[in-house]
Amino acid sequence: MTMEPDAAPPLIVTLTLDPESFAWLDALRQAHFPPERNVLDAHLTLFHKLPGDAVETVGADLRAEAEAVAPLPLTFSEPMFLGRGVAVRVECAALHAVRERLAARWRAWLTAQDRQRFRPHVTVQNKVASDRARALHDAMAESWAPRTGVGTGLGLWRYLGGPWAPAAEIPFGG
């Protein structure tokens, strides 16, 4: 993701997770993500790049959406092989509905990546050799038991060329 020199940093939207799920996923990420590339905690990205100068509109849209949504029941169903990494697949029909409503509001702003089919996941390893990723995936799959958790709200972040800076955390209101 490149930034224009005078442009406001792009915005990223995530789903916030209950503390137990976050701690478990973040521990997986810390254990398996290449340390030199791991500048973020575990996260579930809903939108990868929205215009930074639209922060007020995006924030208002997120608040309106979150107010009408109860915390979301999540299932961490299985490990996903990403080719050069591994993620944990997240299943929740209501999460898809939240994302679809927001995508409809922001259609003109969506990048090609954000227009793709939404596959909710939390990446725990990325940018490693394919055989290393396959080995982790297979080891995780062998002992995997689905877990449940809760999506607690929406996170708004500014992309700073690697790390992210928090802009808002908006809890679900239902």
Side-chain angles (χ1 to χ4, degrees):
M1 181 182 312
T2 59
M3 294 187 292
E4 298 298 318
D6 296 327
L11 302 172
I12 298 165
V13 177
T14 63
L15 177 71
T16 57
L17 302 170
D18 66 276
E20 184 178 306
S21 296
F22 171 78
W24 166 65
L25 291 162
D26 199 51
L28 285 172
R29 186 177 174 96
Q30 295 304 319
H32 301 293
F33 210 96
E36 68 278 5
R37 296 179 182 266
N38 194 14
V39 298
L40 301 171
D41 291 334
H43 57 278
L44 192 161
T45 303
L46 300 177
F47 296 93
H48 297 85
K49 186 178 180 184
L50 297 170
D53 60 356
V55 67
E56 296 302 324
T57 300
V58 170
D61 289 346
L62 293 175
R63 285 186 292 280
E65 182 65 30
E67 185 176 290
V69 174
L72 302 176
L74 307 174
T75 300
F76 303 103
S77 60
E78 63 184 347
M80 292 172 57
F81 179 64
L82 302 176
R84 295 187 60 213
V86 177
V88 174
R89 184 182 312 276
V90 180
E91 295 182 15
C92 176
L95 177 59
H96 283 271
V98 166
R99 190 183 181 284
E100 286 173 16
R101 287 189 297 270
L102 291 169
R105 289 182 185 158
W106 303 332
R107 189 165 320 281
W109 293 336
L110 299 184
T111 63
Q113 183 178 22
D114 284 332
R115 287 191 303 268
Q116 292 177 0
R117 183 174 64 92
F118 180 51
R119 298 183 317 149
H121 64 277
V122 176
T123 302
V124 297
Q125 181 189 62
N126 202 7
K127 298 182 177 135
V128 301
S130 178
D131 58 338
R132 182 173 163 201
R134 176 59 72 189
L136 175 61
H137 173 268
D138 292 350
M140 288 176 68
E142 186 175 306
S143 61
W144 191 262
R147 293 174 64 139
T148 59
V150 178
T152 59
L154 300 168
L156 180 61
W157 305 83
R158 288 201 178 272
Y159 176 74
L160 303 178
W164 301 354
E169 187 171 316
I170 305 153
F172 289 134

